[in-house]
């Protein structure tokens, strides 16, 4: 099995990313991570098995906003980030939500104790846009480090 990571640098890129891979090829990918990406509202998602997911997003992202863009005439329609995270948490049948904070600006949500031992992690960075966060940026996380920490569990 492989792990999937994707970075969305443009709206068109983010719609077909790690979430599409996790939906359509869950037998191949052990886990998925998305940084500033979205999940298409125009595609159905029925993975053949639950997939652990990490999502990192800036609250001030104006390229892929936290809110949904559900114009049915747009091929770029996407779910809200909260709905995406809750979708994957539900697929993984979590029992516990642990909320945390990494000073100075990162809220963490970890959906744990699922029936399959998978977890879903969501990191929301206040005042942050459509970029990877580095420790030197003062946001509280090093994106690459968090992705590796998550993937190394699977």
């Amino acid at each position: 099995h492989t792990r999937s990571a994707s970075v969305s640098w443009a709206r068109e890129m983010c719609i077909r990313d790690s979430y599409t891979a996790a939906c359509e090829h869950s037998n191949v990918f052990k886990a998925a991570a998305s940084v500033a990406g979205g999940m298409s509202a125009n595609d159905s998602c029925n993975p053949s098995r639950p997939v652990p997911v990490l999502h990192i997003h800036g609250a001030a992202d104006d390229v892929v906003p936290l809110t949904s863009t559900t114009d049915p005439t747009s091929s770029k329609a996407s779910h809200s980030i909260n709905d995406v995270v809750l979708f994957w948490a539900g697929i993984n049948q979590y029992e516990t939500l642990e909320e945390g904070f990494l000073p100075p600006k990162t809220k963490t949500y970890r959906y744990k104790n699922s029936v399959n031992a998978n977890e879903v992690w969501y990191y929301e960075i206040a005042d942050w846009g459509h970029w990877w966060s580095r420790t030197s940026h003062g946001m509280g996380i090093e994106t690459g480090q968090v992705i590796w920490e998550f993937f190394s569990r699977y």
Side-chain angles (χ1 to χ4, degrees):
H1 282 83
T2 16
R3 296 165 183 98
S4 170
S6 95
V7 181
S8 166
W9 299 113
R11 182 95 176 131
E12 291 74 17
M13 297 286 292
C14 77
I15 296 303
R16 303 208 56 82
D17 67 354
S18 289
Y19 292 123
T20 301
C23 290
E24 296 177 2
H25 304 289
S26 59
N27 60 325
V28 174
F29 294 99
K30 291 179 79 168
S34 180
V35 178
M39 186 168 153
S40 175
N42 295 326
D43 298 327
S44 63
C45 180
N46 299 301
S48 60
R49 68 165 190 87
V51 176
V53 166
L54 163 66
H55 190 98
I56 300 173
H57 215 96
D61 190 333
D62 60 355
V63 177
V64 180
L66 292 177
T67 57
S68 62
T69 54
T70 55
D71 175 0
T73 62
S74 172
S75 64
K76 300 173 192 167
S78 64
H79 295 287
S80 74
I81 300 308
N82 189 56
D83 286 348
V84 170
V85 171
L86 290 176
F87 171 79
W88 288 103
I91 290 284
N92 283 285
Q93 300 176 36
Y94 80 97
E95 293 180 4
T96 306
L97 170 59
E98 290 181 3
E99 295 184 38
F101 185 72
L102 299 172
K105 298 195 176 215
T106 302
K107 292 184 211 172
T108 64
Y109 304 89
R110 291 187 177 188
Y111 298 84
K112 303 173 88 172
N113 300 325
S114 67
V115 294
N116 52 23
N118 290 348
E119 294 185 4
V120 173
W121 295 3
Y122 174 41
Y123 285 44
E124 183 179 300
I125 307 168
D127 304 322
W128 195 246
H130 195 70
W131 310 283
W132 280 52
S133 174
R134 299 180 84 56
T135 306
S136 61
H137 295 144
M139 297 294 132
I141 69 165
E142 173 74 37
T143 301
Q145 215 169 26
V146 173
I147 291 170
W148 178 247
E149 178 187 351
F150 183 76
F151 278 163
S152 67
R153 302 169 66 85
Y154 304 100

